[in-house]
Amino acid sequence: MIATYKYPVHYLTINSETEVAYIDEGQGDQTLLFIHGLATYIPSWYPMVDHLQSKYRCVAIDLPGYGRSSKGDYPANMSYYAHVLGQLIDSLSLKNVVLVGHSMGAQVAVSTVLNLPNQFEKLILLAPAGFETFIDEHASLLKATAVTETFLKATEAQIRASWAMNFYQMPESVEFMIQDRINMKEASDFEAYCQSVARGVHGMLDQPIADRLGEIRQKTLVVYGEEDALIPNRYLNPGLTTKSVAESGTSQIPDAVLKFIPACGHFISFDKPAEINEIVDSFLTN
């Protein structure tokens, strides 16, 4: 099953075993490179690309193992994805790049700027993973539950419940993405996709960024939904709040601004598209 995208899809060969899909829309002095979160794909950025392409070049990638990119036995950790982004930037000769990452994609974005500290001037982190930390016991528990089999066996009801957790009030506009996820169960490469999701969880835990946030030299925008039900983990870190996690992480970044969106959950781009577009517009023009 190959998902239908609203924008033309381009492909870049990374190596003999890996091909990544991306969209490339709009023009401008700055290039926004969008990095999706765990278990999502390029369409998660539609509301932002629709709006921002009028002022900026907007490039969104399907990370290897996701969407229309190739599926395979990939490491699916932060350093691997950062390396892939570096190759995409070089191959497309992208200039004045601003990384825009959501959730896991934000942790990938931080890993990328730490690896290439002189290549970026600005960084945008939406509901970033990696600000929240876990004791070893809890990290091991998360790894034990994040296995390929778990995602392979997810029922439609479980898939819908998982998606609903991402929103303060789930809009009807996300139904097409839920259908794409349900239809993937019939795809020949579905197991490889599920493996990438499982390894992504492990990769976030094994390559943390919380203790390196002070090394970020880019002007950084951090945005969380006030009603984020996924960050922090309510079961493993019951004493934390989204506000406390957001403030703790952002305070370590030397040049960062933190914004909260009321009545908004984790999947910011679809939960409050007008609000996030206004915040990003303001950050990029100031």
Side-chain angles (χ1 to χ4, degrees):
M1 293 285 185
I2 299 178
T4 301
Y5 287 10
K6 68 185 287 185
Y7 291 112
V9 179
H10 311 276
Y11 294 91
L12 174 69
T13 298
I14 300 295
N15 55 45
S16 60
E17 300 177 344
T18 312
E19 184 178 63
V20 295
Y22 67 95
I23 63 170
D24 189 348
E25 298 294 322
Q27 297 180 3
D29 293 334
Q30 290 179 304
T31 298
L32 309 183
L33 177 52
F34 295 89
I35 313 154
H36 64 76
L38 186 76
T40 60
Y41 57 162
I42 284 171
S44 67
W45 295 112
Y46 283 170
M48 296 185 69
V49 173
D50 290 348
H51 173 76
L52 294 167
Q53 65 172 308
S54 63
K55 297 180 183 178
Y56 309 97
R57 182 179 180 182
C58 294
V59 178
I61 181 177
D62 276 334
L63 295 171
Y66 291 96
R68 294 180 66 170
S69 289
S70 58
K71 315 296 187 294
D73 189 19
Y74 307 133
N77 56 34
M78 305 303 100
S79 58
Y80 169 70
Y81 289 140
H83 176 69
V84 169
L85 288 178
Q87 287 185 277
L88 180 76
I89 291 167
D90 288 344
S91 296
L92 300 184
S93 300
L94 301 181
K95 305 298 182 184
N96 300 321
V97 177
V98 179
L99 296 182
V100 186
H102 172 246
S103 197
M104 181 189 77
Q107 189 166 340
V108 173
V110 171
S111 300
T112 305
V113 301
L114 292 175
N115 289 347
L116 303 167
N118 300 317
Q119 195 156 337
F120 309 96
E121 290 186 6
K122 293 183 177 180
L123 177 64
I124 298 175
L125 308 175
L126 309 184
F131 283 20
E132 180 183 11
T133 59
F134 299 91
I135 62 174
D136 291 343
E137 178 184 354
H138 289 168
S140 296
L141 181 62
L142 285 171
K143 290 179 185 179
T145 57
V147 293
T148 302
E149 195 74 8
T150 301
F151 303 106
L152 273 173
K153 292 184 174 181
T155 65
E156 178 173 340
Q158 289 171 327
I159 291 168
R160 289 188 176 278
S162 178
W163 271 82
M165 286 287 291
N166 283 274
F167 299 92
Y168 176 67
Q169 185 170 0
M170 189 164 70
E172 293 182 4
S173 58
V174 306
E175 177 62 26
F176 81 97
M177 291 190 286
I178 297 173
Q179 288 297 329
D180 281 348
R181 171 62 180 84
I182 293 168
N183 292 338
M184 282 178 60
K185 295 177 69 121
E186 307 302 321
S188 61
D189 55 9
F190 180 55
E191 184 170 356
Y193 160 80
C194 292
Q195 178 179 271
S196 289
V197 177
R199 287 182 176 178
V201 175
H202 290 238
M204 285 186 280
L205 294 166
D206 290 339
Q207 296 182 341
I209 57 169
D211 60 349
R212 298 192 63 193
L213 295 174
E215 300 174 37
I216 297 174
R217 293 294 174 262
Q218 287 73 22
K219 183 178 180 181
T220 302
L221 170 67
V222 180
V223 185
Y224 278 94
E226 286 186 355
E227 306 297 333
D228 192 319
L230 299 183
I231 298 176
N233 186 300
R234 293 328 194 241
Y235 301 100
L236 301 181
N237 284 323
L240 297 180
T241 64
T242 300
K243 187 172 186 289
S244 66
V245 169
E247 290 177 344
S248 175
T250 306
S251 67
Q252 298 178 59
I253 303 173
D255 187 6
V257 59
L258 172 62
K259 300 287 185 180
F260 291 102
I261 301 179
C264 179
H266 186 69
F267 210 130
I268 296 174
S269 59
F270 268 84
D271 215 340
K272 292 292 180 180
E275 289 82 349
I276 189 57
N277 282 330
E278 182 179 350
I279 290 170
V280 169
D281 261 332
S282 177
F283 174 75
L284 290 173
T285 53
N286 292 325

